[in-house]
Structures are given as C-alpha cells and as structure tokens.
C-alpha cells in the first residue's frame, strides 16, 4: 500500500547434504548456526541467482532426489565448480515468471477479520501438500499460479 507496484525479489539456492547444527550465543540470546560445505554451496547458489538472472538455482545433487517427472521440469543452465568446493556441480533452474502473478489486494478489515480462518486454510493446504499422494510434477499442469507463470514460455522452450 505504501509503495505501489513494489515487488520483493528473492533468490533461492537448493542443495542437499550433511550439516552440523549448533547453538551459538549467550545466556540472553541464542542463534542456530549450521556448519557444512553443503551449506556454503547452497549459499553460493543463492548468491549466483542474480548472475544467472533466475530466482532459483538447484544443484544436480538436489535434482537427483526429485522424481523423474519433476526433474523433467528442471532446465540445465551451467556446469561449474563453486568456490570452496573441488567437485563440479551442474546447475538447474525451473522456468517460472513470477511477474505473471497478480498481487491480490485486501483491505485491513479483511486481513484482521479472517486471520484465524486464513490460518486454518493455510494449514489445510500445507497438509494436502505433505500428503503421500501429492505430486509436485502434476501441480505444473493443475495449479493455476504455476500455469500462469509458465504461460510466458513457448512450449517448445521446455
């Protein structure tokens, strides 16, 4: 409301592997910290999203954990050796144009009046996605937001 047409832009780096979690801090404040070369790779992938002009970079280690149907939606964009790592990594992305999504405006009354109901609805949607029979790859053909974000691209592109 204060900044018309403002959109938050974020980049995500997805990688998998082992990590050690530890609590760091004092008696008054404690923060969780994660130590691992895998955490560093994920952080570097996230930073590289700007260089590749994509919002999501996925390592081939992560893509290998996906179902074949979901992995088919991932596009290989580079093969690199990340700083601090000796092992080359293939980088993938999923082509989605988030600018195609319309921002849904709600009044302050709507937001405060239905907060409890919205929380319940979010919980239901979350549980549907955690269900054993949920297929992320099928969502690319049925979820209206995913369909809208992929409509920008020509089918031959995929």
């Amino acid at each position: 409301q204060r900044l018309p047409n403002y959109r938050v832009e974020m980049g995500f780096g997805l990688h998998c592997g082992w990590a050690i979690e530890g609590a760091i801090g004092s008696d008054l404040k404690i923060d969780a910290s994660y130590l691992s070369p895998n955490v560093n790779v994920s952080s570097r992938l996230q930073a590289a999203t700007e260089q590749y002009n994509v919002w999501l970079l996925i390592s081939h280690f992560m893509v290998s954990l996906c179902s074949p149907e979901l992995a088919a939606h991932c596009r290989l964009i580079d093969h690199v050796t990340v700083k601090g790592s000796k092992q080359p990594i293939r980088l993938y992305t999923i082509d989605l144009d988030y600018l195609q999504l319309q921002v849904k405006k709600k009044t302050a009354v709507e937001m405060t009046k239905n907060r409890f109901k919205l929380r319940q609805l979010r919980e239901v949607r979350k549980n549907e996605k955690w269900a054993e029979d949920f297929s992320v790859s099928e969502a690319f053909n049925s979820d209206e937001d995913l369909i809208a974000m992929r409509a920008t691209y020509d089918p031959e592109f995929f």
Side-chain angles (χ1 to χ4, degrees):
Q1 292 174 353
R2 293 183 186 175
L3 300 171
N5 300 322
Y6 179 77
R7 289 189 179 236
V8 174
E9 291 189 21
M10 297 171 54
F12 299 91
L14 300 181
H15 183 65
C16 58
W18 65 270
I20 298 171
E21 178 185 20
I24 297 176
S26 66
D27 292 339
L28 302 176
K29 184 179 178 190
I30 297 175
D31 288 325
S33 182
Y34 302 91
L35 301 171
S36 167
N38 298 305
V39 173
N40 294 340
V41 168
S42 182
S43 176
R44 295 200 187 275
L45 292 181
Q46 182 273 325
T49 58
E50 287 184 40
Q51 295 163 335
Y52 287 99
N53 198 26
V54 296
W55 65 277
L56 176 67
L57 278 178
I58 312 166
S59 72
H60 72 272
F61 297 104
M62 192 73 183
V63 171
S64 70
L65 296 176
C66 296
S67 68
E69 296 83 14
L70 181 58
H73 292 287
C74 298
R75 176 173 59 94
L76 178 65
I77 57 175
D78 207 349
H79 196 181
V80 299
T81 302
V82 178
K83 184 177 177 183
S85 175
K86 295 178 182 175
Q87 191 172 19
I89 298 174
R90 289 187 303 280
L91 301 179
Y92 291 84
T93 192
I94 296 178
D95 296 298
L96 297 170
D97 183 6
Y98 68 90
L99 294 173
Q100 297 303 311
L101 296 179
Q102 297 300 314
V103 177
K104 297 171 183 139
K105 297 184 180 192
K106 296 182 183 173
T107 65
V109 174
E110 287 177 309
M111 290 171 58
T112 56
K113 215 176 195 182
N114 298 321
R115 212 177 324 180
F116 179 72
K117 192 178 276 188
L118 289 172
R119 190 178 310 133
Q120 286 180 318
L121 184 59
R122 273 195 310 269
E123 191 68 27
V124 168
R125 288 182 180 166
K126 182 177 79 172
N127 289 334
E128 287 172 356
K129 288 176 176 57
W130 279 108
E132 199 64 39
D133 61 343
F134 181 77
S135 171
V136 176
S137 62
E138 287 177 18
F140 278 83
N141 299 321
S142 61
D143 183 272
E144 62 186 52
D145 288 337
L146 285 173
I147 292 170
M149 288 189 285
R150 289 178 73 83
T152 303
Y153 304 99
D154 189 296
E156 290 180 17
F157 179 77
F158 300 117

